[in-house]
Amino acid sequence: MNAEELLRRYESGERDFSKVVLKGLQLNHLDLSDINLNQAWLESTCLMGTNLSSANISGANLRFCYLGSANLTNVNLSNSQIEATNFNESNLTNADLIKTFLCDSSLVRTNLTSATIQECNLSGSFCRQTIFLNANWDWNYTDVIFHEAILPNGKIESYHYQPSKAVESLQKCYDSGERIFTFERSLDLTGIKLSYSTLHFRWVSDCELRYAELRNCNFESSNIQKSFFDFADLSGSVFKEAGLADNSFIAVNLSDVSFQEAYLYEEANNHGCCFDGAIFCRTIMPDGSTRNKGC
């Protein structure tokens, strides 16, 4: 089903879209409250800022989706299989996550206050400053990364979070006011916060930049290959004349990003980059055109 048909039917009063297949759709900033997506299949679909309050998304499959800043209050996600999906800054207050498989996803500053999280598998997910206050949970959080997360009892804890030495060193420099950094080798920079910095990568490959906060950074003329930006916030950043081959930008916010004159391909072959679930809004492409499909 395409976006136009779904919206037409929803606006006419239909709410039951159970078992629907939604692939590569842009459904951002819409009101889809009370929608029934039971046993639906959502892949590379963006719902940034969308109102999904009281939606039934139980038994569904979500893969490479973007639900950042979405209203998911009172949503039913029980028994769903969710993989590599961005929930950053979304509101999941009172959500039902019973027996939900939510792996390898990003829940940065996600609000799960009073959510029911039982027999839930969050393996490989990144929970930074995530709010679990008063949540009803009893799951095994092995392999879940908690960083400054607020637990149900109000304690602020970090579990299974051990930043690399590179992150610790760079973060200290950044926190002391430094804003210009040069990289000449592969590094694990998972979760680093370097917004508003000038970052020069000199023919670097195999870097980890997942979950990084890199808003309004300047990557001009950098050469970055075979690296992972998955779930990073790159909004407002500049990649002018950068060499970008074989990189992964899964569920990344690319709003107001400039790729002008960059070496950038989206095809899977020919050294293409992966943009599954990424947000394009006022994004300047290499040829100077602007992509707004995610606005």
Side-chain angles (χ1 to χ4, degrees):
M1 181 181 295
N2 60 34
E4 290 75 15
E5 180 182 356
L6 185 145
L7 291 175
R8 177 180 56 78
R9 289 166 57 177
Y10 182 89
E11 290 170 358
S12 70
E14 187 174 346
R15 294 294 180 267
D16 188 1
F17 295 87
S18 55
K19 299 183 179 180
V20 71
V21 176
L22 306 175
K23 289 190 176 183
L25 301 192
Q26 299 290 328
L27 299 168
N28 303 307
H29 307 295
L30 300 174
D31 182 2
L32 297 176
S33 56
D34 298 306
I35 194 170
N36 181 10
L37 294 170
N38 174 254
Q39 299 183 60
W41 182 279
L42 281 71
E43 183 173 337
S44 300
T45 290
C46 296
L47 294 134
M48 180 175 68
T50 291
N51 181 8
L52 290 162
S53 59
S54 301
N56 179 11
I57 315 179
S58 61
N61 285 275
L62 283 74
R63 188 168 180 261
F64 304 142
C65 292
Y66 194 109
L67 289 105
S69 303
N71 180 358
L72 293 158
T73 56
N74 301 302
V75 71
N76 183 358
L77 285 165
S78 63
N79 295 290
S80 288
Q81 302 286 315
I82 304 172
E83 177 187 356
T85 290
N86 190 326
F87 287 94
N88 292 352
E89 300 183 345
S90 61
N91 187 353
L92 282 144
T93 299
N94 295 318
D96 183 347
L97 292 164
I98 296 175
K99 296 184 179 180
T100 302
F101 186 79
L102 204 171
C103 73
D104 300 322
S105 294
S106 185
L107 295 98
V108 175
R109 290 184 290 275
T110 302
N111 187 353
L112 284 151
T113 297
S114 301
T116 302
I117 311 170
Q118 297 180 337
E119 299 181 63
C120 178
N121 187 342
L122 286 168
S123 179
S125 289
F126 188 80
C127 301
R128 178 164 64 205
Q129 298 175 343
T130 308
I131 302 171
F132 294 98
L133 197 62
N134 298 319
N136 180 7
W137 70 359
D138 65 357
W139 93 96
N140 183 348
Y141 48 77
T142 302
D143 298 327
V144 185
I145 302 171
F146 292 138
H147 181 39
E148 300 174 350
I150 302 176
L151 303 187
N153 60 7
K155 289 185 64 179
I156 299 176
E157 295 285 356
S158 295
Y159 291 119
H160 309 125
Y161 181 72
Q162 183 57 54
S164 67
K165 291 182 179 179
V167 167
E168 290 182 336
S169 176
L170 286 168
Q171 202 66 71
K172 287 179 181 178
C173 293
Y174 178 86
D175 293 342
S176 68
E178 190 171 342
R179 292 294 182 272
I180 301 175
F181 303 93
T182 299
F183 306 94
E184 297 181 329
R185 58 187 177 87
S186 63
L187 292 169
D188 183 353
L189 300 175
T190 301
I192 198 155
K193 302 177 183 179
L194 296 176
S195 294
Y196 295 92
S197 295
T198 296
L199 308 176
H200 188 205
F201 288 77
R202 295 179 175 173
W203 294 102
V204 176
S205 63
D206 302 304
C207 264
E208 291 283 350
L209 290 151
R210 290 182 172 98
Y211 315 109
E213 294 189 8
L214 302 169
R215 296 183 303 278
N216 296 289
C217 284
N218 185 357
F219 295 85
E220 186 172 348
S221 300
S222 288
N223 284 279
I224 312 170
Q225 301 179 13
K226 299 180 181 178
S227 296
F228 296 89
F229 291 86
D230 302 343
F231 310 110
D233 187 352
L234 290 167
S235 55
S237 291
V238 175
F239 288 88
K240 185 178 179 181
E241 298 180 352
L244 302 168
D246 294 315
N247 296 308
S248 179
F249 293 89
I250 291 173
V252 169
N253 187 350
L254 297 172
S255 299
D256 300 300
V257 167
S258 174
F259 290 112
Q260 191 169 11
E261 300 179 49
Y263 175 91
L264 177 71
Y265 291 98
E266 297 179 58
E267 293 81 6
N269 52 12
N270 199 23
H271 306 293
C273 293
C274 176
F275 291 98
D276 287 337
I279 294 291
F280 289 88
C281 182
R282 299 178 299 277
T283 307
I284 301 174
M285 303 308 291
D287 62 1
S289 63
T290 300
R291 184 174 297 186
N292 286 313
K293 69 177 185 179
C295 292

